[in-house]
Each structure stands twice: as structure tokens, then as C-alpha cells.
Amino acid sequence: MAFNEALYKEIMEELTVSQEFITEAAGAFRWDLEQGLKHSEFSSLPMLPSFIGLPDGGEKGEYVALDFGGSNVRASVVRLLGNSRYEVLNWVERPLVTAEYNLISSETDPDNLFDFLAEIAGEAVENDHDREFLLGHTFSFGTEQQDINRARLIKWAKEIAVPGVEGQDINDMLEKALIRKGFGNIKPVAILNDTVAALLAAAYSYPDTRIGSIYATGYNTCYMEVMPDVGRPACIINMESGAFSKLVPNKWDLALDKASEQPGRQRLEKMVSGRYLGELFSMLLKELFELAEKPSLTAVDMSAIMNDKTRGAAILGQILEKEALGDDSLEKIRELAMAITIRSARIVAASWAGTLWHLAGNHKVEPQHIAVDGSVYQHMPHVQENVRRALYDIMGEEAGGLKPVLVKDGSSIGAAIAAAVASFG
Ligand code: GLC
């Protein structure tokens, strides 16, 4: 089991993104954003209106929040108390894939998936079939919205492959499933992207928040657009920033894309999000050690390798032979995991900077909170400090006024706020 030193050097060089690279990336992102707003065919950002604006913190009431985003489904009852206060009650969470079932594969019957969502929403209300509940649904995929409760799925992302859902009205599918399961008393009144939910949740407490970002299994960002498009009020725009395609990929990014469910799509997401970081790491380890099989290490494994020598060695011990696992290779593998992670953080920062520049127009970037949610941002070592450092690299001192806030329960609070806005306007 040989370790290819020359290849290691090449990979590490390819993964290092300079200040110039991210500054240009931020400019290109802003360009695409602004072209996308004008529906230009040259933009890679779909810029999807959400039909909802920022909350004022006074929204009140009890709502069912459903969150379907990739690996787990969650439902809860959220009590909004006004004055920026809330409580989350009856939290229910289930995985979409277990040893017994898989609800995200190309073999999955879409009705089974939606029945599963309906059952979990039902559990959150303790199987009450009578009392009327209004439900907000955080649906973490790109949708074409016609209203706050009308959203068609454009394309799945994050390797979900359930047939028969793309192009369909998601609220409709959920409503039918709720009725099939005897929960006609739960009315889905709002559907929103998880980035939008994070922004609503943060803005409920910090009114200066304009940007919401998810940095998790997938990657995406939304922001409050104040310049109304013709015929549409000012509203939050889901950029689907994972779709940004103007970054120059290296040959491993290209190989990863080619082997994915949807080649050619979600190019930025495939360089930065949790679903793909482990994939890239595994591909590179296979080449570096000339392994017969590609290992299946995840972003969680990468975190362990970066954080904890003993656990890292145990994880790598399962795929590498003993002699390949000397202290020297362990250190190199740790640096490889770091390089992949830091590149991700710097590219994410570039997409935020491009958005901030758009919001600022010809003025200075104003001090503000930025809402962020997601496992990669929250748990992966080196991410938060490298996002911050990259913001300084790109924007200089103006970065000092930016306060990223990790939104707790963003998907649930945001869904409840959207349901409140949908019912009271
Ligand atoms: C994917 C989805 C997007 C979502 C993001 C984070 O990029 O397309 O809608 O916001 O994942 O969950």
C-alpha cells in the first residue's frame, strides 16, 4: 500500500484557494445574483421568490412545524409568544433511511414518503384528529413558488432520487397525505426553504438580519430583496446558491460531479456541503493510497480525524493497512481533511460576501447578523474561524460588523412564523 507523495502535493496545491480566488468568486457570485434577478440565461442562480418578507417579532400562536430536508424528518408544535419569544413542544424526529426502509431512493413510492411525513406531523399533535392546526412546512429543496402555500419542486438535490415528485405541488401532496392518514384537521398553510426558515427565525430576534444560510448536508443561502420585481412585492429570495457554477473545478471535483445523482447540477454545493466533503475525501484517499475500493468516509469521520488522533487512527485503521498508518501519514491525512474543509469554508464566505455586496449596492456593507444553521457550520472543526477569516480577506474591515448567529431550531421556528404570516398576513 504505497502513499503517492507527488500526488499529495498536487492535491494540496489544488485545494488551496487564495485571497484572489475567493475575492473574484465573491464578485462573480454578485454578478450571477444580479443577472439572476433579471432572469438572465447567463446566471447559474435561479433566484426563487419565497412570497414572504421579514417578521416583526410580534407573530403569535401555536403551529405545527414540519421539517423535511435530507436525512431526517422532524415535526414539532411551536408556540410563538410574540416579543421575539417562542417555545418548541412535542419534538418528533425520524430518519428517512434505516436498515428496514429507505424513503429517498429511486425505488421509493412518493405516496409512502408523504404518508411518512403526515404520520410524523400527526405524532407531533399527539394523534389528535379533531382540533384544527395550521402547519408550516420547511422543505429544503429548490421550488418554484406561486404563493406562500404553493410550491413545485424543481429538482431534488442532496442525492435524493424519489420519482414522481419533481414538478409536483408539494403542499398538495402533503395535504392529500394528511387526509389519507386521517389528519385533515392539520392544514398546511405555508411552505418555505430551510434558508428562509433560518432567516425568519433569526430576524424574529435580531431585526437587522438580512441573510439566511444553511451549511449542512446541503449548502444554500437566501436574503431579503427589497427591490421589488415588476408585479411582485419585496420578499425573501432563495438563491439556491449551491447551484452557482462559475468556480473553476479541479479534476477531482469533476470526477465527483460525474459520479453523482445529477451530474452538472449543484456545482458549488458539491465543493462545500457535508454530503460531498466526505465523498471527496474518500476519493482522494483511494487515489493517494491506491486502494482497491473507494472508502465511504463522511464529514463526521473527517471531523473525528481532524479533532481526535486516537479516533482518527481507528477510523483510518479500517481502510488502511498497518504500515500505511504511521504517524507521518496520519498527519498528512489530517491535513488533507483540513484542506478540504478550509476550501469549503472560504468558498461559502465568498458567496456570503457577494450577497452582502449586492445588499450594500454602492454603499458600505452595514453591520448585521447573518443567520446560519447546519451541522457543518456548527460542528466541523476549522469551519467557523475560516469563514470569518475569509470574510476579512475579501471585505477587509467591513467584515468586522458581521455577526454570524447559529440559529437553534431555525427550521421549526421559521416554519411556525411562516404559518403565522400565512394565516394573519
Ligand atoms: C440543497 C437544496 C436547497 C437547500 C440546501 C440546504 O442545496 O437544493 O434548497 O436549502 O440543500 O438544505
Side-chain angles (χ1 to χ4, degrees):
M1 187 179 270
F3 178 75
N4 188 334
E5 288 284 352
L7 180 63
Y8 181 73
K9 205 163 157 264
E10 184 190 341
I11 291 172
M12 293 301 276
E13 270 164 25
E14 288 284 350
L15 289 173
T16 306
V17 289
S18 64
Q19 178 171 13
E20 196 188 349
F21 179 97
I22 50 173
T23 309
E24 273 174 22
F29 192 89
R30 177 184 182 174
W31 190 88
D32 255 32
L33 182 166
E34 290 174 356
Q35 292 299 309
L37 282 178
K38 295 182 209 151
H39 311 289
S40 154
E41 59 180 302
F42 300 112
S43 171
S44 58
L45 296 175
M47 307 300 289
L48 306 166
S50 67
F51 291 84
I52 188 165
L54 295 176
D56 62 18
E59 292 75 6
K60 279 191 186 160
E62 209 170 284
Y63 303 92
V64 178
L66 177 67
D67 173 16
F68 168 35
S71 353
N72 292 298
V73 178
R74 301 182 194 96
S76 53
V77 173
V78 177
R79 197 176 283 155
L80 299 175
L81 303 164
N83 275 330
S84 310
R85 288 177 314 119
Y86 56 81
E87 288 168 356
V88 181
L89 318 165
N90 298 348
W91 184 268
V92 186
E93 177 161 2
R94 298 261 183 288
L96 284 158
V97 181
T98 67
E100 281 87 51
Y101 62 83
N102 180 334
L103 288 168
I104 59 173
S105 82
S106 54
E107 317 274 287
T108 305
D109 178 333
D111 283 350
N112 288 347
L113 171 62
F114 281 82
D115 284 354
F116 186 73
L117 300 183
E119 277 166 11
I120 293 171
E123 255 184 75
V125 300
E126 294 169 333
N127 291 315
D128 184 334
H129 291 272
D130 302 316
R131 184 178 148 198
E132 184 171 283
F133 291 96
L134 303 182
L135 177 147
H137 181 189
T138 299
F139 180 72
S140 311
F141 302 92
T143 60
E144 192 86 62
Q145 280 195 237
Q146 288 85 38
D147 208 339
I148 193 166
N149 64 346
R150 291 272 150 251
R152 281 182 197 287
L153 171 62
I154 301 171
K155 274 258 177 230
W156 285 123
K158 299 174 276 196
E159 307 301 290
I160 298 199
V162 184
V165 188
E166 289 176 351
Q168 299 300 311
D169 185 316
I170 300 302
N171 208 61
D172 234 34
M173 290 185 86
L174 179 64
E175 191 167 21
K176 285 189 180 133
L178 284 163
I179 292 170
R180 274 200 300 275
K181 291 283 153 190
F183 289 113
N185 54 321
I186 306 179
K187 312 261 184 243
V189 292
I191 177 161
L192 67 167
N193 189 255
D194 50 352
T195 55
V196 178
L199 173 52
L200 294 178
Y204 194 63
S205 306
Y206 305 103
D208 64 358
T209 321
R210 296 284 172 275
I211 293 180
S213 193
I214 301 292
Y215 192 178
T217 310
Y219 172 68
N220 188 13
T221 305
C222 71
Y223 73 99
M224 178 67 201
E225 176 56 76
V226 290
M227 293 297 290
D229 200 352
V230 185
R232 169 164 58 71
C235 76
I236 299 170
I237 305 276
N238 164 18
M239 293 192 275
E240 285 296 314
S241 52
F244 183 64
S245 70
K246 308 280 166 73
L247 296 176
V248 180
N250 62 40
K251 64 179 179 211
W252 299 285
D253 294 320
L254 290 173
L256 182 149
D257 174 55
K258 204 165 160 213
S260 67
E261 271 296 333
Q262 303 201 354
R265 298 184 66 88
Q266 300 296 100
R267 298 302 293 270
L268 178 132
E269 182 162 69
K270 287 173 188 162
M271 295 166 92
V272 306
S273 83
R275 178 63 183 78
Y276 300 99
L277 293 177
E279 192 66 35
L280 184 61
F281 185 53
S282 303
M283 261 174 53
L284 294 174
L285 285 181
K286 175 173 185 284
E287 284 197 31
L288 279 168
F289 288 92
E290 291 160 19
L291 304 174
E293 300 257 331
K294 180 167 69 63
S296 19
L297 296 182
T298 62
V300 176
D301 297 323
M302 286 171 73
S303 298
I305 290 166
M306 288 188 277
N307 253 348
D308 179 338
K309 250 190 156 175
T310 321
R311 270 189 63 210
I315 292 167
L316 293 168
Q318 294 169 1
I319 55 168
L320 299 178
E321 285 164 14
K322 233 192 177 128
E323 66 273 17
L325 246 192
D327 272 359
D328 187 43
S329 341
L330 248 180
E331 186 50 31
K332 288 204 162 105
I333 297 172
R334 203 177 68 83
E335 276 169 21
L336 173 69
M338 267 177 76
I340 294 173
T341 308
I342 293 173
R343 180 180 77 146
S344 159
R346 288 173 72 75
I347 292 174
V348 162
S351 69
W352 289 4
T355 313
L356 288 159
W357 280 342
H358 166 71
L359 284 170
N362 299 326
H363 303 280
K364 277 189 147 184
V365 171
E366 284 178 23
Q368 59 194 284
H369 286 87
I370 297 176
V372 204
D373 198 358
S375 47
V376 173
Y377 188 78
Q378 193 175 356
H379 300 302
M380 227 163 147
H382 310 294
V383 164
Q384 296 189 17
E385 68 265 28
N386 278 288
V387 167
R388 174 151 289 285
R389 195 168 299 152
L391 287 170
Y392 273 99
D393 273 3
I394 302 168
M395 300 171 41
E397 272 175 23
E398 283 179 22
L402 302 172
K403 293 186 246 6
V405 277
L406 190 67
V407 234
K408 226 180 122 251
D409 304 332
S411 287
S412 316
I413 315 303
I417 296 172
V421 170
S423 45
F424 296 110

Tab-separated table of all heavy atoms in Angstrom, residues 114-157:
chain	number	residue	atom	x	y	z
A	114	PHE	N	-44.708	10.767	1.526
A	114	PHE	CA	-45.588	11.804	2.078
A	114	PHE	C	-46.466	11.268	3.216
A	114	PHE	O	-46.773	11.997	4.159
A	114	PHE	CB	-46.388	12.492	0.963
A	114	PHE	CG	-45.553	13.510	0.244
A	114	PHE	CD1	-44.677	13.134	-0.760
A	114	PHE	CD2	-45.559	14.845	0.627
A	114	PHE	CE1	-43.837	14.051	-1.391
A	114	PHE	CE2	-44.738	15.791	0.007
A	114	PHE	CZ	-43.880	15.382	-1.003
A	115	ASP	N	-46.835	9.985	3.143
A	115	ASP	CA	-47.568	9.381	4.268
A	115	ASP	C	-46.710	9.412	5.531
A	115	ASP	O	-47.200	9.667	6.635
A	115	ASP	CB	-47.945	7.930	3.957
A	115	ASP	CG	-49.128	7.848	2.993
A	115	ASP	OD1	-49.712	8.915	2.674
A	115	ASP	OD2	-49.453	6.732	2.546
A	116	PHE	N	-45.437	9.153	5.343
A	116	PHE	CA	-44.488	9.168	6.463
A	116	PHE	C	-44.437	10.578	7.080
A	116	PHE	O	-44.510	10.749	8.300
A	116	PHE	CB	-43.122	8.760	5.904
A	116	PHE	CG	-42.025	8.582	6.913
A	116	PHE	CD1	-42.006	7.476	7.750
A	116	PHE	CD2	-40.974	9.501	7.006
A	116	PHE	CE1	-40.970	7.300	8.674
A	116	PHE	CE2	-39.943	9.331	7.914
A	116	PHE	CZ	-39.949	8.225	8.756
A	117	LEU	N	-44.376	11.597	6.216
A	117	LEU	CA	-44.361	12.988	6.717
A	117	LEU	C	-45.654	13.275	7.495
A	117	LEU	O	-45.629	13.874	8.582
A	117	LEU	CB	-44.253	13.996	5.560
A	117	LEU	CG	-43.020	13.924	4.647
A	117	LEU	CD1	-43.064	15.039	3.609
A	117	LEU	CD2	-41.741	14.036	5.458
A	118	ALA	N	-46.781	12.817	6.925
A	118	ALA	CA	-48.080	13.080	7.566
A	118	ALA	C	-48.151	12.404	8.932
A	118	ALA	O	-48.634	13.000	9.913
A	118	ALA	CB	-49.215	12.585	6.656
A	119	GLU	N	-47.638	11.174	9.009
A	119	GLU	CA	-47.691	10.453	10.290
A	119	GLU	C	-46.869	11.172	11.358
A	119	GLU	O	-47.270	11.251	12.520
A	119	GLU	CB	-47.124	9.043	10.122
A	119	GLU	CG	-48.142	8.075	9.591
A	119	GLU	CD	-47.502	6.777	9.098
A	119	GLU	OE1	-46.293	6.562	9.358
A	119	GLU	OE2	-48.202	6.011	8.438
A	120	ILE	N	-45.718	11.695	10.943
A	120	ILE	CA	-44.862	12.372	11.922
A	120	ILE	C	-45.510	13.683	12.385
A	120	ILE	O	-45.485	14.014	13.572
A	120	ILE	CB	-43.461	12.588	11.325
A	120	ILE	CG1	-42.839	11.206	11.150
A	120	ILE	CG2	-42.585	13.453	12.210
A	120	ILE	CD1	-41.579	11.203	10.391
A	121	ALA	N	-46.129	14.391	11.444
A	121	ALA	CA	-46.860	15.608	11.841
A	121	ALA	C	-47.965	15.224	12.819
A	121	ALA	O	-48.190	15.912	13.829
A	121	ALA	CB	-47.438	16.298	10.604
A	122	GLY	N	-48.632	14.104	12.540
A	122	GLY	CA	-49.699	13.619	13.423
A	122	GLY	C	-49.167	13.292	14.816
A	122	GLY	O	-49.810	13.616	15.823
A	123	GLU	N	-48.004	12.679	14.845
A	123	GLU	CA	-47.405	12.351	16.150
A	123	GLU	C	-47.119	13.612	16.960
A	123	GLU	O	-47.282	13.627	18.181
A	123	GLU	CB	-46.084	11.615	15.942
A	123	GLU	CG	-46.174	10.132	16.213
A	123	GLU	CD	-44.818	9.482	16.089
A	123	GLU	OE1	-43.985	9.642	16.994
A	123	GLU	OE2	-44.593	8.823	15.047
A	124	ALA	N	-46.692	14.653	16.263
A	124	ALA	CA	-46.369	15.903	16.971
A	124	ALA	C	-47.601	16.495	17.654
A	124	ALA	O	-47.477	17.169	18.669
A	124	ALA	CB	-45.734	16.909	16.022
A	125	VAL	N	-48.788	16.229	17.082
A	125	VAL	CA	-50.000	16.740	17.746
A	125	VAL	C	-50.643	15.634	18.597
A	125	VAL	O	-51.849	15.677	18.895
A	125	VAL	CB	-51.034	17.340	16.743
A	125	VAL	CG1	-50.418	18.494	15.977
A	125	VAL	CG2	-51.573	16.293	15.775
A	126	GLU	N	-49.834	14.659	18.936
A	126	GLU	CA	-50.261	13.522	19.775
A	126	GLU	C	-51.476	12.816	19.195
A	126	GLU	O	-52.409	12.461	19.899
A	126	GLU	CB	-50.513	13.998	21.223
A	126	GLU	CG	-49.203	14.453	21.839
A	126	GLU	CD	-49.356	15.177	23.157
A	126	GLU	OE1	-50.421	15.778	23.378
A	126	GLU	OE2	-48.398	15.137	23.944
A	127	ASN	N	-51.437	12.646	17.866
A	127	ASN	CA	-52.500	11.937	17.146
A	127	ASN	C	-53.897	12.497	17.406
A	127	ASN	O	-54.877	11.755	17.412
A	127	ASN	CB	-52.434	10.437	17.435
A	127	ASN	CG	-51.197	9.843	16.788
A	127	ASN	OD1	-50.894	10.129	15.630
A	127	ASN	ND2	-50.441	9.076	17.548
A	128	ASP	N	-53.960	13.793	17.622
A	128	ASP	CA	-55.248	14.477	17.761
A	128	ASP	C	-55.856	14.635	16.359
A	128	ASP	O	-55.275	15.301	15.499
A	128	ASP	CB	-54.995	15.856	18.412
A	128	ASP	CG	-56.275	16.614	18.685
A	128	ASP	OD1	-57.272	16.366	17.975
A	128	ASP	OD2	-56.263	17.464	19.598
A	129	HIS	N	-56.992	14.001	16.127
A	129	HIS	CA	-57.598	14.048	14.791
A	129	HIS	C	-58.696	15.109	14.687
A	129	HIS	O	-59.380	15.181	13.671
A	129	HIS	CB	-58.181	12.670	14.416
A	129	HIS	CG	-57.133	11.623	14.182
A	129	HIS	ND1	-56.526	11.403	12.963
A	129	HIS	CD2	-56.544	10.751	15.038
A	129	HIS	CE1	-55.643	10.429	13.062
A	129	HIS	NE2	-55.620	10.013	14.324
A	130	ASP	N	-58.899	15.873	15.744
A	130	ASP	CA	-60.042	16.800	15.745
A	130	ASP	C	-59.672	18.281	15.719
A	130	ASP	O	-60.138	19.025	14.871
A	130	ASP	CB	-60.918	16.537	16.979
A	130	ASP	CG	-61.399	15.095	16.986
A	130	ASP	OD1	-61.810	14.628	15.903
A	130	ASP	OD2	-61.313	14.439	18.045
A	131	ARG	N	-58.820	18.666	16.668
A	131	ARG	CA	-58.516	20.096	16.782
A	131	ARG	C	-57.827	20.598	15.517
A	131	ARG	O	-56.982	19.912	14.947
A	131	ARG	CB	-57.585	20.284	17.997
A	131	ARG	CG	-57.268	21.704	18.278
A	131	ARG	CD	-56.388	21.835	19.513
A	131	ARG	NE	-55.535	22.977	19.352
A	131	ARG	CZ	-54.431	23.196	20.038
A	131	ARG	NH1	-54.037	22.326	20.955
A	131	ARG	NH2	-53.708	24.272	19.821
A	132	GLU	N	-58.189	21.794	15.072
A	132	GLU	CA	-57.545	22.302	13.858
A	132	GLU	C	-56.158	22.876	14.150
A	132	GLU	O	-55.967	23.617	15.126
A	132	GLU	CB	-58.408	23.376	13.210
A	132	GLU	CG	-57.772	23.829	11.912
A	132	GLU	CD	-58.663	24.741	11.087
A	132	GLU	OE1	-59.594	24.230	10.430
A	132	GLU	OE2	-58.409	25.959	11.127
A	133	PHE	N	-55.195	22.474	13.328
A	133	PHE	CA	-53.834	23.012	13.442
A	133	PHE	C	-53.410	23.583	12.096
A	133	PHE	O	-53.723	23.008	11.054
A	133	PHE	CB	-52.838	21.892	13.788
A	133	PHE	CG	-52.986	21.329	15.168
A	133	PHE	CD1	-53.739	20.178	15.378
A	133	PHE	CD2	-52.372	21.935	16.257
A	133	PHE	CE1	-53.878	19.646	16.647
A	133	PHE	CE2	-52.500	21.404	17.528
A	133	PHE	CZ	-53.254	20.258	17.730
A	134	LEU	N	-52.659	24.666	12.138
A	134	LEU	CA	-52.066	25.187	10.905
A	134	LEU	C	-50.613	24.739	10.867
A	134	LEU	O	-49.908	24.773	11.874
A	134	LEU	CB	-52.145	26.713	10.874
A	134	LEU	CG	-53.563	27.289	11.000
A	134	LEU	CD1	-53.532	28.809	10.901
A	134	LEU	CD2	-54.497	26.710	9.927
A	135	LEU	N	-50.184	24.299	9.702
A	135	LEU	CA	-48.840	23.726	9.592
A	135	LEU	C	-47.960	24.540	8.644
A	135	LEU	O	-48.399	24.952	7.560
A	135	LEU	CB	-48.963	22.278	9.094
A	135	LEU	CG	-47.676	21.493	8.825
A	135	LEU	CD1	-47.885	20.006	9.154
A	135	LEU	CD2	-47.202	21.602	7.389
A	136	GLY	N	-46.736	24.779	9.060
A	136	GLY	CA	-45.720	25.366	8.186
A	136	GLY	C	-44.730	24.269	7.839
A	136	GLY	O	-44.321	23.503	8.701
A	137	HIS	N	-44.363	24.193	6.571
A	137	HIS	CA	-43.519	23.085	6.102
A	137	HIS	C	-42.196	23.625	5.565
A	137	HIS	O	-42.173	24.311	4.548
A	137	HIS	CB	-44.290	22.344	4.991
A	137	HIS	CG	-43.567	21.174	4.422
A	137	HIS	ND1	-43.996	20.499	3.312
A	137	HIS	CD2	-42.435	20.548	4.815
A	137	HIS	CE1	-43.166	19.510	3.042
A	137	HIS	NE2	-42.206	19.527	3.933
A	138	THR	N	-41.128	23.307	6.288
A	138	THR	CA	-39.807	23.659	5.773
A	138	THR	C	-39.361	22.536	4.852
A	138	THR	O	-39.129	21.411	5.291
A	138	THR	CB	-38.816	23.841	6.942
A	138	THR	OG1	-39.302	24.898	7.765
A	138	THR	CG2	-37.442	24.207	6.427
A	139	PHE	N	-39.303	22.847	3.576
A	139	PHE	CA	-38.995	21.841	2.549
A	139	PHE	C	-37.695	22.296	1.884
A	139	PHE	O	-37.672	23.293	1.162
A	139	PHE	CB	-40.166	21.802	1.543
A	139	PHE	CG	-39.994	20.808	0.441
A	139	PHE	CD1	-40.095	19.447	0.698
A	139	PHE	CD2	-39.734	21.219	-0.862
A	139	PHE	CE1	-39.950	18.516	-0.323
A	139	PHE	CE2	-39.581	20.301	-1.883
A	139	PHE	CZ	-39.692	18.946	-1.612
A	140	SER	N	-36.621	21.558	2.155
A	140	SER	CA	-35.295	22.112	1.851
A	140	SER	C	-34.759	21.739	0.470
A	140	SER	O	-33.712	21.097	0.341
A	140	SER	CB	-34.328	21.663	2.925
A	140	SER	OG	-34.895	21.906	4.179
A	141	PHE	N	-35.517	22.144	-0.534
A	141	PHE	CA	-35.119	21.916	-1.921
A	141	PHE	C	-35.588	23.113	-2.735
A	141	PHE	O	-36.431	23.876	-2.260
A	141	PHE	CB	-35.755	20.611	-2.446
A	141	PHE	CG	-35.379	19.427	-1.608
A	141	PHE	CD1	-36.180	19.032	-0.544
A	141	PHE	CD2	-34.191	18.761	-1.823
A	141	PHE	CE1	-35.809	17.980	0.280
A	141	PHE	CE2	-33.801	17.705	-1.005
A	141	PHE	CZ	-34.607	17.316	0.046
A	142	GLY	N	-35.059	23.244	-3.934
A	142	GLY	CA	-35.440	24.378	-4.759
A	142	GLY	C	-36.868	24.203	-5.277
A	142	GLY	O	-37.188	23.177	-5.884
A	143	THR	N	-37.720	25.187	-4.999
A	143	THR	CA	-39.091	25.105	-5.512
A	143	THR	C	-39.460	26.397	-6.233
A	143	THR	O	-38.973	27.467	-5.906
A	143	THR	CB	-40.136	24.909	-4.379
A	143	THR	OG1	-40.048	26.032	-3.502
A	143	THR	CG2	-39.931	23.627	-3.620
A	144	GLU	N	-40.325	26.250	-7.196
A	144	GLU	CA	-40.899	27.382	-7.919
A	144	GLU	C	-42.165	27.731	-7.171
A	144	GLU	O	-43.099	26.926	-7.150
A	144	GLU	CB	-41.250	26.854	-9.322
A	144	GLU	CG	-41.589	27.886	-10.343
A	144	GLU	CD	-40.333	28.407	-11.008
A	144	GLU	OE1	-39.630	27.604	-11.646
A	144	GLU	OE2	-40.095	29.627	-10.861
A	145	GLN	N	-42.193	28.909	-6.494
A	145	GLN	CA	-43.390	29.211	-5.713
A	145	GLN	C	-44.323	30.156	-6.450
A	145	GLN	O	-43.876	31.057	-7.166
A	145	GLN	CB	-42.988	29.809	-4.353
A	145	GLN	CG	-42.578	28.693	-3.423
A	145	GLN	CD	-42.494	29.024	-1.941
A	145	GLN	OE1	-41.440	28.830	-1.386
A	145	GLN	NE2	-43.576	29.445	-1.303
A	146	GLN	N	-45.620	29.911	-6.278
A	146	GLN	CA	-46.617	30.843	-6.823
A	146	GLN	C	-47.233	31.645	-5.700
A	146	GLN	O	-47.847	32.678	-5.916
A	146	GLN	CB	-47.745	30.107	-7.563
A	146	GLN	CG	-47.351	29.506	-8.905
A	146	GLN	CD	-46.722	28.132	-8.727
A	146	GLN	OE1	-47.161	27.371	-7.888
A	146	GLN	NE2	-45.694	27.837	-9.497
A	147	ASP	N	-47.098	31.129	-4.495
A	147	ASP	CA	-47.636	31.809	-3.318
A	147	ASP	C	-46.992	31.181	-2.088
A	147	ASP	O	-46.223	30.235	-2.208
A	147	ASP	CB	-49.167	31.649	-3.273
A	147	ASP	CG	-49.820	32.815	-2.543
A	147	ASP	OD1	-49.112	33.490	-1.756
A	147	ASP	OD2	-51.021	33.046	-2.751
A	148	ILE	N	-47.361	31.675	-0.923
A	148	ILE	CA	-46.725	31.156	0.296
A	148	ILE	C	-47.074	29.676	0.539
A	148	ILE	O	-46.347	28.952	1.197
A	148	ILE	CB	-47.086	32.053	1.511
A	148	ILE	CG1	-46.194	31.726	2.703
A	148	ILE	CG2	-48.561	31.945	1.864
A	148	ILE	CD1	-46.234	32.744	3.802
A	149	ASN	N	-48.189	29.219	-0.054
A	149	ASN	CA	-48.561	27.808	0.141
A	149	ASN	C	-48.566	27.008	-1.162
A	149	ASN	O	-49.159	25.940	-1.244
A	149	ASN	CB	-49.936	27.710	0.817
A	149	ASN	CG	-51.026	28.286	-0.064
A	149	ASN	OD1	-50.727	28.985	-1.051
A	149	ASN	ND2	-52.279	28.028	0.260
A	150	ARG	N	-47.919	27.538	-2.186
A	150	ARG	CA	-47.892	26.836	-3.483
A	150	ARG	C	-46.452	26.741	-3.954
A	150	ARG	O	-45.842	27.761	-4.275
A	150	ARG	CB	-48.687	27.608	-4.551
A	150	ARG	CG	-50.167	27.640	-4.334
A	150	ARG	CD	-50.862	26.423	-4.986
A	150	ARG	NE	-52.057	26.048	-4.265
A	150	ARG	CZ	-52.194	24.952	-3.510
A	150	ARG	NH1	-51.233	24.083	-3.387
A	150	ARG	NH2	-53.316	24.687	-2.871
A	151	ALA	N	-45.914	25.543	-3.973
A	151	ALA	CA	-44.509	25.393	-4.368
A	151	ALA	C	-44.317	24.088	-5.129
A	151	ALA	O	-44.664	23.020	-4.630
A	151	ALA	CB	-43.633	25.395	-3.117
A	152	ARG	N	-43.798	24.205	-6.330
A	152	ARG	CA	-43.473	22.996	-7.106
A	152	ARG	C	-42.001	22.679	-6.964
A	152	ARG	O	-41.164	23.573	-7.149
A	152	ARG	CB	-43.737	23.244	-8.599
A	152	ARG	CG	-45.165	23.146	-8.950
A	152	ARG	CD	-45.420	23.340	-10.450
A	152	ARG	NE	-46.830	23.625	-10.608
A	152	ARG	CZ	-47.783	22.712	-10.470
A	152	ARG	NH1	-47.467	21.451	-10.267
A	152	ARG	NH2	-49.053	23.047	-10.567
A	153	LEU	N	-41.695	21.420	-6.688
A	153	LEU	CA	-40.289	21.020	-6.615
A	153	LEU	C	-39.677	21.111	-8.009
A	153	LEU	O	-40.216	20.547	-8.966
A	153	LEU	CB	-40.175	19.578	-6.095
A	153	LEU	CG	-38.776	18.965	-6.180
A	153	LEU	CD1	-37.764	19.733	-5.334
A	153	LEU	CD2	-38.805	17.499	-5.749
A	154	ILE	N	-38.565	21.840	-8.127
A	154	ILE	CA	-37.898	21.927	-9.425
A	154	ILE	C	-37.095	20.651	-9.641
A	154	ILE	O	-37.342	19.894	-10.571
A	154	ILE	CB	-37.001	23.181	-9.500
A	154	ILE	CG1	-37.854	24.444	-9.267
A	154	ILE	CG2	-36.306	23.261	-10.865
A	154	ILE	CD1	-37.047	25.720	-9.107
A	155	LYS	N	-36.116	20.404	-8.779
A	155	LYS	CA	-35.261	19.206	-8.882
A	155	LYS	C	-34.852	18.804	-7.477
A	155	LYS	O	-34.575	19.673	-6.641
A	155	LYS	CB	-33.976	19.552	-9.641
A	155	LYS	CG	-34.073	19.456	-11.130
A	155	LYS	CD	-33.441	18.183	-11.633
A	155	LYS	CE	-33.579	18.018	-13.135
A	155	LYS	NZ	-34.099	16.708	-13.498
A	156	TRP	N	-34.786	17.538	-7.214
A	156	TRP	CA	-34.206	17.086	-5.956
A	156	TRP	C	-32.743	17.505	-5.896
A	156	TRP	O	-32.133	17.763	-6.938
A	156	TRP	CB	-34.250	15.560	-5.859
A	156	TRP	CG	-35.569	14.926	-5.560
A	156	TRP	CD1	-36.206	13.989	-6.338
A	156	TRP	CD2	-36.399	15.109	-4.409
A	156	TRP	NE1	-37.369	13.596	-5.731
A	156	TRP	CE2	-37.513	14.262	-4.547
A	156	TRP	CE3	-36.308	15.908	-3.260
A	156	TRP	CZ2	-38.536	14.187	-3.603
A	156	TRP	CZ3	-37.332	15.830	-2.315
A	156	TRP	CH2	-38.425	14.982	-2.486
A	157	ALA	N	-32.168	17.500	-4.706
A	157	ALA	CA	-30.722	17.696	-4.523
A	157	ALA	C	-30.285	16.712	-3.444
A	157	ALA	O	-31.089	15.887	-2.997
A	157	ALA	CB	-30.444	19.143	-4.105
